[in-house]
Amino acid sequence: SLVGKYFFIDTAYVGKDVLGIVNDLLQFLMIAVALIVAAVPEGLPMAVTLALAYSMKRMANDNNLIKKMHACETLGAVNTIFTDKTGTLTENKMSVVGSACYDSDKLFDFSSITDNMLLNSTAFCNVGNPTESALLRYTGKNDEEITEYRNKFGIHFRKDFNSKNKYMITVTKHPHKSNYIVYIKGAPEIVSKMCKSHEHGEGWKSYMEKGNRCIMFASMEINDPNEMDKLDAAGIFNMDVQMNGFEYNGFAAIADPIRSNVHDAIQQAHNAGISVKIITGDNPLTAKEIGRQAGISENPNTVVGATDNLTMGDISGIDGSTLQNWVKRGWTGNAVNKKYTKDQLSRILLINM
């Protein structure tokens, strides 16, 4: 304003040489700097530091440890929370609440999936992956009996569960025969595609609609040792290829109850204007019910994957506007990968900034 008044109103520069005009402009600059310094209180940095330190103390009282002080300011500006499901919204205390079993000779023969539970696992009843431990407890055997049973069968090969394939494979050699048995367990939507048939259809979906996680079991006998040698030589079990020809054995439904304080916490977030979204590797049917129980969403159509058939593996291939539409609808949760990759998470977080 001083410069405008100098040049256009008072025309004070008229009759002055260049050095005089420059001297006037420098005075204007000094006045502006002085006003800026005067406008900012000297105690402001200290006041901000004290406010952030007080926030850190309050959060520490709520068992939230803040490593960097400026993180308190970031948390105060949060408008979206992305949360995992298992162990965060739920207690991570797994228990089998139902099963369906089948083999070619006996209908609903529990032994058809018992061997799969016992041998196709690296856990024990209370040690290891909570899902596998729940399955082992369901067999009724203790850790000593499990170890003895596994030692009786020779473990020829084992491929652990991973977020890409969503299944686990163990190849054992029968203790009294020359044949090999390939056991597989994993997500029903994955394992069912690898079976020759699954006579009981999609009964597992009714359990998932109640918020349960379902594990499907299947097996394959290889009677010719030469055939096993060929598979080993080709590295089939090590490759990320989808095998076929398994016999469907059944499934087990596992419950993981919602934490008692989750519903109130979600409601507090909503009251504060914060949107809550689930990122989970579970089936959309399971995620939908858990979301309803937690109070995140009452609308079943807000689950990505339930209506759009979107999988977490697909997220890298969809365009930004489509992804934005799905995420803005209020939910992120689908069925293929256990976790998002760093790049996939970055895309989702950028949409919500």
Side-chain angles (χ1 to χ4, degrees):
S1 61
L2 288 174
V3 174
K5 183 174 183 293
Y6 181 80
F7 282 103
F8 302 108
I9 299 177
D10 296 340
T11 60
Y13 65 92
V14 176
K16 291 187 177 183
D17 57 12
V18 175
L19 290 177
I21 295 174
V22 170
N23 183 62
D24 291 341
L25 292 176
L26 287 176
Q27 289 185 5
F28 296 157
L29 179 62
M30 292 174 62
I31 293 173
V33 172
L35 289 173
I36 293 173
V37 172
V40 179
E42 294 181 3
L44 181 60
M46 182 180 294
V48 172
T49 301
L50 289 174
L52 293 176
Y54 180 69
S55 299
M56 289 180 67
K57 182 179 179 181
R58 288 189 60 186
M59 296 194 71
N61 293 336
D62 291 332
N63 298 321
N64 295 307
L65 181 61
I66 302 298
K67 183 178 180 180
K68 296 183 178 180
M69 191 176 296
H70 63 77
C72 293
E73 182 180 0
T74 303
L75 290 173
V78 166
N79 56 18
T80 304
I81 295 175
F82 291 91
T83 176
D84 187 23
K85 182 185 73 67
T86 304
T88 304
L89 298 179
T90 64
E91 297 179 354
N92 201 23
K93 296 179 179 179
M94 312 285 188
S95 61
V96 177
V97 294
S99 64
C101 313
Y102 177 86
D103 65 25
S104 56
D105 299 320
K106 296 179 181 180
L107 191 64
F108 298 112
D109 179 11
F110 183 62
S111 64
S112 63
I113 64 174
T114 302
D115 285 351
N116 202 322
M117 291 180 176
L118 293 171
L119 300 173
N120 191 16
S121 174
T122 57
F124 290 93
C125 291
N126 295 296
V127 179
N129 182 280
T131 301
E132 292 192 15
S133 295
L135 295 173
L136 293 172
R137 290 194 296 270
Y138 191 58
T139 66
K141 295 184 179 294
N142 58 39
D143 289 348
E144 183 178 346
E145 292 172 322
I146 292 172
T147 301
E148 182 181 351
Y149 197 78
R150 289 175 181 171
N151 291 336
K152 185 170 66 174
F153 287 80
I155 304 300
H156 181 77
F157 175 84
R158 175 174 285 135
K159 183 174 184 177
D160 293 331
F161 179 95
N162 64 64
S163 59
K164 180 179 180 180
N165 297 325
K166 292 207 74 172
Y167 62 77
M168 179 176 182
I169 285 182
T170 297
V171 182
T172 67
K173 190 177 186 303
H174 198 283
H176 306 300
K177 300 179 183 179
S178 61
N179 64 324
Y180 291 84
I181 305 176
V182 183
Y183 294 104
I184 184 172
K185 69 178 180 184
E189 64 271 16
I190 303 298
V191 176
S192 61
K193 296 177 182 178
M194 304 166 73
C195 297
K196 292 186 290 187
S197 63
H198 41 100
E199 284 77 359
H200 296 291
E202 298 180 339
W204 46 272
K205 287 188 175 181
S206 62
Y207 283 96
M208 286 188 167
E209 290 172 348
K210 299 176 183 178
N212 300 310
R213 171 185 294 175
C214 286
I215 305 296
M216 183 172 286
F217 304 93
S219 61
M220 176 195 302
E221 287 196 28
I222 300 177
N223 297 314
D224 185 357
N226 293 327
E227 184 65 24
M228 177 58 70
D229 292 339
K230 292 179 181 178
L231 292 173
D232 286 338
I236 294 299
F237 296 115
N238 286 302
M239 297 170 60
D240 290 330
V241 296
Q242 182 169 302
M243 299 179 63
N244 297 300
F246 284 91
E247 293 285 350
Y248 168 74
N249 297 145
F251 68 86
I254 301 174
D256 184 13
I258 288 283
R259 292 182 182 272
S260 59
N261 59 345
V262 162
H263 194 279
D264 291 340
I266 296 296
Q267 190 59 50
Q268 289 178 13
H270 286 169
N271 292 340
I274 300 174
S275 173
V276 181
K277 306 174 190 293
I278 294 179
I279 294 181
T280 178
D282 280 340
N283 189 281
L285 296 175
T286 303
K288 177 182 68 175
E289 176 58 19
I290 293 298
R292 187 195 66 79
Q293 294 178 20
I296 293 177
S297 175
E298 293 288 341
N299 182 2
N301 292 326
T302 58
V303 183
V304 174
T307 56
D308 302 302
N309 296 318
L310 175 69
T311 66
M312 294 173 82
D314 296 332
I315 192 173
S316 299
I318 64 176
D319 61 89
S321 60
T322 303
L323 179 61
Q324 183 179 33
N325 179 52
W326 274 321
V327 174
K328 291 293 185 181
R329 273 168 37 185
W331 197 291
T332 302
N334 22 60
V336 172
N337 290 343
K338 181 64 181 174
K339 299 292 182 186
Y340 279 117
T341 65
K342 182 178 180 180
D343 291 340
Q344 291 171 339
L345 277 175
S346 297
R347 290 191 68 193
I348 293 175
L349 294 176
L350 284 172
I351 284 173
N352 286 269
M353 290 179 65

